Amino acid sequence: MLFRSDKEINANLKFLREKIVDQIKYERPVPQIMWGKIISILTFNEWTILCVILYIIFMSLLIYSTLKRDIDSEVIFYRNLLSIILCVVLIFFIASYLENRQLEAVITAEEAEIKNGPGKNYSKGFILHEGMEVYIENDSGDWVEIILPNGLKGWVEKNNIQFTKD
């Protein structure tokens, strides 16, 4: 079996994305890019493990300072510092969870009509073509609400898309 490098895979993806009819250009704001990079430092499972470890250390310091009658100011300092770090890591953990739970999909129909609601009786919003990558927001029977990279939303029939994440 041949293994391809990330460079080859990225080149192939770039080539295929250039063939997509719907070229939606969207530049993410710098804070959003930075936030994404921070979250992606660790995987979802690694953020979970880090939260658990920090929680155990924090609880150990809390129990130690409760059982010891004359608390050192150093213990109080480390307990407070650890509680702040724990809160920050918890925020990153939640952000990582929210980012990972969002399903991605690709339009597989040659031309998919995007509606303003979940059903054929809703008005047409716009049309997307095969290969367009979208995010899934909601699910309603045979319809899913999609979000484009530029933030535009609409509803499409499930048979017009293929999920790329479980």
Side-chain angles (χ1 to χ4, degrees):
M1 175 178 211
L2 294 174
F3 293 98
R4 297 177 186 250
S5 69
D6 286 345
K7 199 180 279 187
E8 289 176 11
I9 292 170
N10 288 331
N12 288 338
L13 278 172
K14 182 179 178 187
F15 173 75
L16 290 172
R17 287 182 175 137
E18 288 172 358
K19 299 291 182 192
I20 296 172
V21 175
D22 301 313
Q23 293 292 328
I24 297 175
K25 300 290 183 201
Y26 174 69
E27 294 296 323
R28 291 175 25 187
V30 174
Q32 189 178 6
I33 292 170
M34 290 172 55
W35 179 253
K37 286 183 180 184
I38 291 170
I39 290 173
S40 65
I41 289 172
L42 299 176
T43 66
F44 175 70
N45 290 338
E46 291 168 340
W47 282 116
T48 305
I49 291 167
L50 184 58
C51 278
V52 169
I53 290 170
L54 288 174
Y55 180 75
I56 290 170
I57 294 170
F58 172 75
M59 291 307 291
S60 299
L61 281 175
L62 187 64
I63 291 169
Y64 173 76
S65 64
T66 304
L67 293 176
K68 189 174 178 186
R69 300 222 188 265
D70 39 326
I71 303 171
D72 298 28
S73 60
E74 191 173 312
V75 172
I76 293 172
F77 169 76
Y78 286 121
R79 186 184 66 200
N80 292 339
L81 178 66
L82 193 59
S83 66
I84 292 168
I85 293 171
L86 181 62
C87 289
V88 169
V89 169
L90 193 59
I91 289 168
F92 289 133
F93 166 76
I94 292 168
S96 177
Y97 168 76
L98 292 174
E99 188 167 302
N100 284 320
R101 85 177 165 87
Q102 191 172 34
L103 291 174
E104 295 177 3
V106 175
I107 302 293
T108 54
E110 193 172 317
E111 191 173 276
E113 194 172 281
I114 311 303
K115 300 281 192 173
N116 291 321
K120 292 187 183 279
N121 56 337
Y122 285 89
S123 62
K124 180 172 93 172
F126 51 95
I127 291 179
L128 289 178
H129 296 87
E130 184 177 18
M132 184 66 204
E133 297 174 39
V134 297
Y135 297 99
I136 305 300
E137 180 75 7
N138 288 315
D139 189 334
S140 179
D142 292 336
W143 292 81
V144 290
E145 185 179 21
I146 60 168
I147 302 176
L148 299 180
N150 63 2
L152 194 59
K153 291 183 179 186
W155 290 82
V156 65
E157 287 184 275
K158 281 184 183 176
N159 60 0
N160 289 327
I161 62 169
Q162 176 68 46
F163 295 102
T164 57
K165 279 187 173 180
D166 292 334

